[in-house]
Amino acid sequence: MKNLISKYLRYSICWIVLITPNTVIAFEPVFSAKRGFYQSSFDVVVSGLASGDSIYYSLDGSDPRTSKTAIRRLAPVTVRIDPESSTGGRPTAPAVILRACIKRVDSVGISVTHTYLFVQKVKTLSPENVRPGTGWPNPTTNPNPQAIDYGMDPNILNDSRYRNLIDSALLAIPSISIATDLKHLFALDSGIYMNAMQDGRDWERPTSVELLRRDGIEGFQINAGIRIRGGWSRHGDNPKHAFRLFFRSEYGKAKLEYPLFENEGVAKFDKVDLRTGQNYAWSYPGRLGRYNTMISEVFSRDLQREMKRPYTRSRFYHLYINGVYWGLFQTQERSEARYAESYFGGNSDDYDVIKVGDYYSIEATDGNTDAYRELWDYCTIGFQTNDAYFKVQGLNPDGTRNLNFKNLVDIDNLIDYMLIIFYAGNFDCPSSKFRGDKEPNNIYCIYNRNRKDGFKFFIHDAEHTLRTTAGEGPGVGLYENRVNIGRFGIMDVASFSKFHPQWLHYKLSFNTEYRLRFADRAYKHLFNNGCMTPKKAIELFQSRAKEIDMAIIGESARWGNTYLNPAATKDNDWLPAINDIVKNYFPLRTNIVINQLRDENLYPTVNPPIFKSMNDTIFTDVLDVNAGFVLRIQRPSGSGKIYYTLDGTDPRAIGGSISASAIDGGSAVDVVINSTSLIKARILIGTFWSALHEIILCTPGGTQNLKVTEIHYHPFGTEFADHKAYEFLELKNTSTNPINLSQANFINGITYTFPFGTILEAGGFIVLASNRDEFNRRYGFYPFDVYAGQLDNSGERVTLCAVNGETIFTIRYYDTAPWPTTPNGGGYSLVPTEINPTGDQNDPSKWRASLDIHGSPGRDDIPLTSENSQANIPIENSLSQNYPNPFNPTTVISFQLSTTNNVQLKVYDVLGREVATLVNEIKPAGVYQINYNASHLAGGVYFYRLIAGNYSSVKKFILIK
């Protein structure tokens, strides 16, 4: 046992540190009133948890654990919540910030913040250019170059159009409240707001963050770190800075666990941006504020979502700093390693994240630049040959996968990314027109070194977009042409440090296969009902405008007069800027970009075939039909011939010839559809092909008999990989007929789209896994495929949708009772109680833990006995991690025996002394769960050891007392 003690002693040391005096531990005061919105003053009672508890509280935003202004009272404490009061050094502000903690003789609890917001007081308690109180910088005598601006413009507040709408504007969207010691923001030498150009961990300060909602949904409060966010907008002449929030265990919780983006995104974050309008904001100097929409930037990111590409999500909020209204902001995800881990799976350490750093040079904000340099090396050689073009994608010249080649670029992702740049007329990304198109800016791309599925590119800071006219800066407006900057030598990348995705696109465009693939994607998005057609683009843009249609009044009152005279208003400035884009940009831009692409040989002059139903043209790429539906494929003009396929392949072969599976459709052809089908069609004139036109025709499919039959969301890890690599999800067809899963896709929980032609036979299984190789290592066979993202150890919603968008199933599993708990880290999977599940699979009584450690992928989960036909499937001796861990006073230890064995299961303390014998007997093969009551032991670190025949294993557990 000496080696065992040596190996694990560090855990006992850490445990001792956790319980030393004066350590912040998890006890919190209790507030009698919830944070939120109020109409009149009231009293809050703040209670302790035990007799003799002292309550330390503050009303000036400072942390009561360390604040010199904190008030100490013996619990319980009654605190008056009155926005008119200046008690406790409160600023003149419409929100009352009550921060409190419990202090005892040898310890201090967590600081908890409650913001009580009186929006009807914003008008009277936000005087223009009057600092809210002591410690706030004076806007007229500030010695720092940082511009300071306070309060609401009385001209807006008294404007007949808005004076009765201010309260509604401030309640139209949720609010975020930030509370921190004023010195963290405004100290001349160390405040992050007064030194906004500074960056990095040294310029991160502690804060409290709250989300306040009025829709009946609970918000949150979390202690976090805060920094200034942005690039050029950090300069001191900008009085409204953006922020970045960091969630770390040193502040309290290691992650924010909250569905910021509802079902659209994940529910755990270690950092989030609070961005706002920057170069085009009303608060920014110059004349660009007249173009302010507050939504132009997020529109480009929304386009990436509509293209079904990875993207960063956003929501709008009003922001309050220590109770003072600070205007309109929006959350935004950070497309970095933790983001990639959440959405693509694996670990954050697997990812390289490339961005633009100092001096407009690329850097790896996560991982390294090795793979990105390999991509650069390919560019220096060029892609004129198909060998090079396919090799950079990890393919052979015939397009088949070559496992010896790295896939360094996700071609379709790159193309869609560039189409957004071109369509939006973005002249500051990825090649910056401000820098003569010689340097990169605003790029983010992510690469998984293990999965090697190519660099993926993310729209970021797309402010310089959707301009209809020239103005300040280098933009030319509606006819902005970012497509041709390579051909005319305007764009130049002379070194690796300046390498960006548009240079990669430019070098790839010398290859015929790439150009046609670009045309295929352009046709999908710029024609029919694609997301870049006028109607769809307007709908998408206006959906964002609708979100802030009322809230923008608050932004106008707060910042509209900072640099503009008269002050910017909703009706005079914001609505005209919105309508200008809707009326003068979107209706014309699509055809402008198509012509720009044609000029660069990125879109052919040969038009694709037309799809019709009867005499009606079909403008969608997915259509529900009944068996017997007739699709008419028609040539759009008098020359050329239609070639189409029904098997999901391209009618054009690599190199330009007609593929072996292509069907000659002549000038027109009728195709009878009897089952879900993917039709791909092109026109060929001489040697010139059109872009690809494709459609999925969906017939009714009986997917109601598709069931989830196993969820392994928190398996054991191994010496080869951690537990995330061994996750899997199993589906079963419980009917007597095949189920067509073509293009069905998981939209919650995991991300995966079934390829066309996926047929699940009656009684058959499909297993999707997190890691192909590790799954094979454990189970001896490969999964059907690998999904992106991870199954949440805390439980989450898993939703599968058909290609037409209809929900096939949605299951919300949990890791706590009444759901089975041993699948959460105990080595077991979650399986239905019935072999062929019936009823509501959201009912926890319909689920149990698997009979075997590691579950039973690809088969029904039934006991392995000599009478069972599955008995030839091998199992092995294994010892599971106990659950729960830490525990007090009982825990469950699980183990599995492959054959009859003489079993010893004993518990030892950190000195190697035996403290309990749990098992010491011969046991037959099977799965065992031992309930261990350790109430007789002192708190600390212990070990349990299983010996079964030649098998021996040791695990650590922690007893809390």
Side-chain angles (χ1 to χ4, degrees):
M1 294 298 295
K2 287 183 179 180
N3 290 337
L4 181 150
I5 295 169
S6 174
K7 181 178 180 180
Y8 290 104
L9 187 57
R10 63 182 183 275
Y11 294 106
S12 63
I13 293 172
C14 290
W15 176 249
I16 292 169
V17 171
L18 286 172
I19 59 176
T20 53
N22 300 318
T23 301
V24 177
I25 54 180
F27 54 86
E28 303 178 3
V30 178
F31 293 68
S32 64
K34 292 183 178 181
R35 61 182 59 87
F37 300 86
Y38 289 85
Q39 291 290 324
S40 57
S41 301
F42 61 98
D43 290 334
V44 170
V45 178
V46 184
S47 305
L49 301 178
S51 176
D53 280 351
S54 291
I55 302 295
Y56 284 66
Y57 71 92
S58 68
L59 292 164
D60 61 357
S62 60
D63 189 335
R65 295 174 298 181
T66 57
S67 173
K68 293 180 180 180
T69 60
I71 302 167
R72 178 186 179 275
R73 297 286 187 272
L74 198 62
V77 177
T78 299
V79 182
R80 186 67 177 170
I81 305 301
D82 181 0
E84 303 280 358
S85 171
S86 59
T87 301
R90 276 198 70 248
T92 302
V96 178
I97 309 291
L98 175 57
R99 305 188 72 183
C101 68
I102 297 173
K103 282 192 177 181
R104 295 172 179 166
V105 174
D106 60 351
S107 58
V108 57
I110 291 174
S111 173
V112 179
T113 306
H114 275 52
T115 293
Y116 303 105
L117 181 54
F118 300 80
V119 295
Q120 74 277 12
K121 295 292 185 180
V122 171
K123 291 177 285 188
T124 58
L125 296 180
S126 303
E128 185 180 28
N129 287 328
V130 176
R131 61 177 180 167
T134 303
W136 296 79
N138 191 314
T140 58
T141 62
N142 174 29
N144 187 283
Q146 173 60 54
I148 297 294
D149 182 277
Y150 297 120
M152 307 288 274
D153 182 359
N155 292 321
I156 305 296
L157 297 181
N158 296 321
D159 190 311
S160 60
R161 296 171 295 180
Y162 311 120
R163 63 188 174 204
N164 296 323
L165 296 176
I166 300 298
D167 294 356
S168 297
L170 296 172
L171 294 171
I173 57 177
S175 293
I176 287 178
S177 172
I178 287 175
T180 189
D181 296 62
L182 281 181
K183 64 181 180 181
H184 293 326
L185 297 175
F186 299 122
L188 290 179
D189 59 343
S190 60
I192 60 173
Y193 215 88
M194 306 303 279
N195 299 274
M197 295 299 293
Q198 303 298 323
D199 199 6
R201 189 67 182 271
D202 289 343
W203 292 91
E204 178 178 317
R205 302 291 182 261
T207 191
S208 163
V209 184
E210 292 171 272
L211 173 61
L212 309 178
R213 304 179 60 144
R214 294 184 68 250
D215 54 8
I217 299 174
E218 191 73 23
F220 65 81
Q221 187 269 324
I222 189 171
N223 295 327
I226 187 169
R227 301 181 194 175
I228 300 297
R229 177 253 196 223
W232 188 263
S233 65
R234 291 172 177 265
H235 283 84
D237 52 0
N238 177 21
K240 185 188 180 187
H241 291 306
F243 300 96
R244 182 162 299 145
L245 303 173
F246 294 83
F247 309 107
R248 310 183 197 276
S249 56
E250 67 187 77
Y251 300 117
K253 295 180 180 178
K255 288 181 180 291
L256 170 63
E257 298 188 18
Y258 188 86
L260 275 177
F261 310 107
E262 297 84 34
N263 290 333
E264 187 184 347
V266 298
K268 290 184 179 180
F269 306 88
D270 58 6
K271 68 178 71 170
V272 171
D273 279 5
L274 278 178
R275 74 177 308 280
T276 188
Q278 293 174 266
N279 296 297
Y280 289 81
W282 293 328
S283 55
Y284 198 78
R287 293 173 51 80
L288 288 179
R290 59 186 171 145
Y291 303 106
N292 180 28
T293 67
M294 295 293 291
I295 60 172
S296 293
E297 190 279 338
V298 74
F299 172 78
S300 285
R301 292 188 281 114
D302 286 346
L303 276 180
Q304 206 161 28
R305 178 194 65 211
E306 296 303 299
M307 292 174 164
K308 303 189 185 306
R309 298 295 167 202
Y311 67 102
T312 54
R313 296 149 182 81
S314 284
R315 294 292 186 274
F316 287 100
Y317 303 90
H318 290 299
L319 180 68
Y320 294 80
I321 298 178
N322 281 10
V324 176
Y325 179 57
W326 219 254
L328 192 60
F329 285 72
Q330 65 173 227
T331 51
Q332 182 189 350
E333 294 175 302
R334 297 287 297 170
S335 49
E336 296 179 342
R338 291 292 183 186
Y339 165 97
E341 177 185 307
S342 298
Y343 287 103
F344 306 149
N347 294 302
S348 59
D349 292 341
D350 300 338
Y351 290 94
D352 298 330
V353 178
I354 308 300
K355 60 170 285 191
V356 174
D358 295 335
Y359 308 108
Y360 295 92
S361 296
I362 64 97
E363 66 180 18
T365 188
D366 295 295
N368 59 65
T369 61
D370 293 349
Y372 199 62
R373 183 175 288 277
E374 289 185 60
L375 198 52
W376 162 256
D377 291 339
Y378 271 98
C379 282
T380 59
I381 297 171
F383 300 98
Q384 287 90 339
T385 68
N386 281 349
D387 284 7
Y389 171 67
F390 285 110
K391 187 175 182 180
V392 77
Q393 302 175 68
L395 304 173
N396 293 311
D398 62 358
T400 58
R401 175 65 57 197
N402 188 322
L403 297 179
N404 294 318
F405 297 162
K406 289 182 182 179
N407 179 6
L408 290 173
V409 57
D410 182 332
I411 288 290
D412 284 355
N413 172 274
L414 172 67
I415 292 172
D416 288 353
Y417 170 86
M418 291 311 307
L419 280 167
I420 295 172
I421 300 297
F422 297 156
Y423 178 76
N426 192 332
F427 53 84
D428 196 31
C429 170
S431 177
S432 178
K433 202 171 185 179
F434 289 99
R435 311 293 296 180
D437 283 313
K438 311 302 180 188
E439 295 182 304
N441 200 23
N442 294 322
I443 68 168
Y444 267 89
C445 55
I446 295 177
Y447 178 71
N448 186 313
R449 292 186 300 276
N450 293 332
R451 187 169 291 160
K452 298 182 180 66
D453 52 357
F455 272 101
K456 293 174 171 49
F457 303 92
F458 290 78
I459 295 295
H460 178 73
D461 269 5
E463 278 200 299
H464 297 288
T465 55
L466 308 185
R467 292 278 295 274
T468 59
T469 60
E472 292 185 11
V476 300
L478 178 63
Y479 288 91
E480 185 72 50
N481 191 340
R482 303 303 291 163
V483 182
N484 67 1
I485 60 175
R487 178 166 61 95
F488 287 108
I490 301 168
M491 176 179 62
D492 182 49
V493 176
S495 68
F496 170 67
S497 66
K498 307 298 182 181
F499 177 43
H500 57 75
Q502 187 158 356
W503 187 253
L504 172 63
H505 155 78
Y506 171 65
K507 300 295 280 188
L508 283 164
S509 66
F510 286 89
N511 184 277
T512 301
E513 301 297 325
Y514 177 79
R515 288 198 302 273
L516 191 58
R517 185 58 189 166
F518 196 102
D520 295 344
R521 302 302 299 173
Y523 181 74
K524 181 177 181 65
H525 301 311
L526 292 163
F527 291 84
N528 299 320
N529 280 332
C531 60
M532 292 177 182
T533 55
K535 180 175 181 293
K536 288 295 184 180
I538 290 171
E539 289 175 356
L540 184 63
F541 188 75
Q542 288 184 326
S543 69
R544 283 294 188 180
K546 184 179 179 180
E547 292 178 18
I548 61 170
D549 178 71
M550 182 64 71
I552 198 69
I553 297 172
E555 174 74 6
S556 166
R558 179 64 177 88
W559 297 105
N561 67 341
T562 307
Y563 284 105
L564 297 175
N565 186 17
T569 66
K570 172 184 175 179
D571 292 271
N572 294 350
D573 299 90
W574 184 75
L575 277 176
I578 293 290
N579 291 333
D580 177 45
I581 294 172
V582 169
K583 295 178 180 179
N584 300 320
Y585 191 89
F586 293 131
L588 302 174
R589 184 63 182 174
T590 303
N591 283 334
I592 289 171
V593 173
I594 291 170
N595 289 329
Q596 290 173 350
L597 296 177
R598 281 191 168 127
D599 288 344
E600 295 304 302
N601 200 19
L602 289 169
Y603 193 80
T605 56
V606 179
N607 292 318
I610 299 168
F611 293 156
K612 287 190 172 184
S613 172
M614 306 293 286
N615 292 320
D616 296 326
T617 301
I618 300 171
F619 294 106
T620 183
D621 55 4
V622 178
L623 184 66
D624 290 330
V625 300
N626 293 316
F629 173 83
V630 178
L631 175 72
R632 184 164 184 81
I633 308 176
Q634 184 173 305
R635 188 175 62 192
S637 62
S639 60
K641 185 178 289 188
I642 297 168
Y643 287 95
Y644 71 98
T645 61
L646 302 173
D647 61 358
T649 62
D650 193 331
R652 174 190 179 274
I654 293 172
S657 62
I658 301 167
S659 76
S661 58
I663 302 169
D664 186 340
S667 60
V669 62
D670 291 334
V671 181
V672 179
I673 305 299
N674 290 312
S675 62
T676 297
S677 302
L678 171 60
I679 313 296
K680 292 187 176 185
R682 296 186 191 268
I683 296 289
L684 176 63
I685 300 178
T687 60
F688 297 99
W689 289 90
S690 75
L692 183 70
H693 193 174
E694 55 187 315
I695 189 171
I696 298 175
L697 301 168
C698 305
T699 58
T703 54
Q704 68 273 11
N705 292 310
L706 181 72
K707 303 295 181 180
V708 178
T709 47
E710 195 157 10
I711 306 173
H712 202 14
Y713 64 88
H714 193 177
F716 287 147
T718 68
E719 61 184 300
F720 304 106
D722 74 6
H723 71 276
K724 294 180 182 180
Y726 299 96
E727 291 181 2
F728 68 81
L729 184 141
E730 177 190 86
L731 304 178
K732 182 182 180 182
N733 179 358
T734 61
S735 72
T736 57
N737 297 307
I739 295 176
N740 190 336
L741 290 175
S742 295
Q743 301 296 296
N745 62 102
F746 283 94
I747 61 169
N748 287 325
I750 59 175
T751 302
Y752 179 75
T753 299
F754 286 96
F756 181 80
T758 302
I759 306 295
L760 182 56
E761 298 297 335
F765 296 89
I766 279 180
V767 178
L768 299 175
S770 174
N771 185 298
R772 174 182 172 85
D773 294 329
E774 294 306 323
F775 183 92
N776 180 57
R777 187 193 301 274
R778 172 166 286 177
Y779 299 105
F781 67 97
Y782 287 103
F784 176 83
D785 210 341
V786 174
Y787 55 72
Q790 301 287 167
L791 295 166
D792 197 316
N793 293 348
S794 301
E796 65 179 333
R797 188 177 307 280
V798 178
T799 303
L800 178 68
C801 290
V803 65
N804 59 5
E806 294 184 0
T807 299
I808 296 175
F809 62 73
T810 183
I811 295 173
R812 178 62 165 92
Y813 70 90
Y814 291 86
D815 66 328
T816 55
W819 286 73
T821 56
T822 52
N824 184 21
Y828 299 94
S829 64
L830 198 61
V831 298
T833 55
E834 301 173 286
I835 296 300
N836 292 314
T838 59
D840 183 7
Q841 286 202 283
N842 289 283
D843 181 352
S845 67
K846 296 286 187 179
W847 295 86
R848 61 173 173 82
S850 61
L851 292 169
D852 296 333
I853 297 290
H854 306 322
S856 54
R859 60 182 174 87
D860 293 320
D861 191 83
I862 52 180
L864 299 180
T865 66
S866 57
E867 291 80 18
N868 192 298
S869 63
Q870 302 286 336
N872 61 336
I873 299 178
I875 59 176
E876 57 186 15
N877 292 338
S878 62
L879 175 65
S880 302
Q881 184 66 52
N882 65 301
Y883 183 84
N885 184 27
F887 66 97
N888 180 19
T890 61
T891 188
V892 177
I893 301 173
S894 303
F895 62 91
Q896 177 176 265
L897 303 176
S898 59
T899 60
T900 299
N901 282 280
N902 185 15
V903 178
Q904 287 186 348
L905 180 61
K906 296 184 177 183
V907 180
Y908 301 86
D909 64 16
V910 294
L911 298 179
R913 297 175 298 195
E914 181 182 322
V915 297
T917 298
L918 306 183
V919 179
N920 189 12
E921 61 182 309
I922 296 174
K923 284 187 171 292
V927 176
Y928 297 89
Q929 294 184 341
I930 306 299
N931 294 308
Y932 177 44
N933 189 320
S935 57
H936 63 291
L937 297 178
V941 177
Y942 294 88
F943 307 94
Y944 53 99
R945 183 177 192 177
L946 176 71
I947 299 176
N950 294 325
Y951 176 84
S952 177
S953 182
V954 175
K955 302 283 186 183
K956 170 181 71 74
F957 57 17
I958 298 175
L959 172 62
I960 295 178
K961 284 201 169 180

